[in-house]
Amino acid sequence: GQQLNQSPQSMFIQEGEDVSMNCTSSSIFNTWLWYKQEPGEGPVLLIALYKAGELTSNGRLTAQFGITRKDSFLNISASIPSDVGIYFCAGQLLGDSNYQLIWGAGTKLIIKP
Amino acid sequence: EAGVVQSPRYKIIEKKQPVAFWCNPISGHNTLYWYRQNLGQGPELLIRYENEEAVDDSQLPKDRFSAERLKGVDSTLKIQPAELGDSAVYLCASSLANEQFFGPGTRLTVL
């Protein structure tokens, strides 16, 4: 089936550092969504992207829809302890009218004390 | 505005027993999804409803899983009988269009 390659799988960073993660695919997407999931909770939508090249911010988070429509990245600036969690990308394939999301495997963010 | 509500939050059962999960979506959201999430993985779609109609159940293991959304609002997902491999988090989500909003999930442990 369709797959999204999400990297890195995990990140160990110091508080205050910037974070960057991305998702790539061989298929073309018309929607990219970035979610954060904390232990014991469901994924929470952070940013939604709908146009190639679109750059959208949500506080310290910035995400971009790649020009080729096959990738997206998420940046977190000046990380803080509450940023800890698993970040998932999810995309909807171009031409899919069912709104089915293809999910990445997640990037686990850990902040070193 | 209330989010997606799921219950129970946790369930521990022995294998071969039945189990049911309940979901109440965000008010006005016609589309409802049930996902299964295994540890360290992203959610996997089990079934999608548009109002009361199941429009995509291709990933639902129909020999033991069933779901219903009789009035097009809340939904129930059932497993009968449960197997050890069914241990996972079962997530419900709802949407108006592309953006899906998730409930907290039900963590199922089958012993």
Side-chain angles (χ1 to χ4, degrees):
Chain A
Q2 300 292 341
Q3 286 189 330
L4 284 181
N5 299 310
Q6 185 171 352
S7 65
Q9 187 174 9
S10 59
M11 300 184 72
F12 295 79
I13 63 167
Q14 297 277 7
E15 182 178 350
E17 287 185 9
D18 295 343
V19 172
S20 183
M21 60 191 78
N22 68 82
C23 278
T24 62
S25 175
S26 58
S27 301
I28 296 174
F29 288 79
N30 65 8
T31 299
W32 285 97
L33 305 174
W34 284 93
Y35 287 86
K36 178 188 179 186
Q37 188 173 24
E38 297 185 22
E41 300 296 331
V44 175
L45 182 63
L46 300 173
I47 294 178
L49 303 162
Y50 298 104
K51 292 173 57 177
E54 179 181 357
L55 186 71
T56 297
S57 294
N58 178 6
R60 294 177 296 104
L61 278 61
T62 301
Q64 185 161 26
F65 194 140
I67 290 292
T68 65
R69 312 189 78 158
K70 296 180 179 181
D71 61 349
S72 177
F73 72 74
L74 174 70
N75 287 344
I76 305 173
S77 62
S79 58
I80 59 177
S82 63
D83 291 333
V84 165
I86 302 177
Y87 292 79
F88 288 99
C89 63
Q92 180 190 346
L93 291 169
L94 182 67
D96 181 1
S97 60
N98 290 324
Y99 297 130
Q100 182 172 349
L101 291 179
I102 311 298
W103 289 79
T107 295
K108 188 173 185 178
L109 181 61
I110 300 167
I111 297 181
K112 292 182 278 189
Chain B
E1 177 182 325
V4 177
V5 179
Q6 288 188 249
S7 68
R9 292 294 310 274
Y10 305 92
K11 190 73 177 179
I12 301 174
I13 60 172
E14 294 188 343
K15 62 181 181 181
K16 301 184 181 180
Q17 295 299 306
V19 64
F21 315 122
W22 178 80
C23 172
N24 194 35
I26 293 173
S27 177
H29 283 194
N30 297 328
T31 308
L32 183 146
Y33 311 77
W34 282 104
Y35 287 89
R36 176 169 57 193
Q37 185 177 29
N38 292 309
L39 191 64
Q41 299 181 19
E44 299 173 344
L45 181 68
L46 292 174
I47 189 168
R48 177 171 70 94
Y49 281 92
E50 292 289 346
N51 298 304
E52 66 274 12
E53 182 182 0
V55 296
D56 183 359
D57 63 357
S58 57
Q59 304 301 314
L60 189 72
K62 298 181 184 63
D63 56 335
R64 298 182 300 105
F65 286 64
S66 64
E68 59 184 18
R69 193 186 185 199
L70 294 176
K71 297 183 179 179
V73 180
D74 58 339
S75 175
T76 302
L77 177 69
K78 298 178 181 178
I79 308 175
Q80 182 171 12
E83 298 179 352
L84 294 176
D86 295 332
S87 294
V89 175
Y90 290 83
L91 294 164
C92 179
S94 69
S95 71
L96 282 175
N98 300 55
E99 299 176 15
Q100 296 181 23
F101 297 88
F102 286 81
T106 297
R107 179 174 295 277
L108 174 67
T109 302
V110 182
L111 302 176

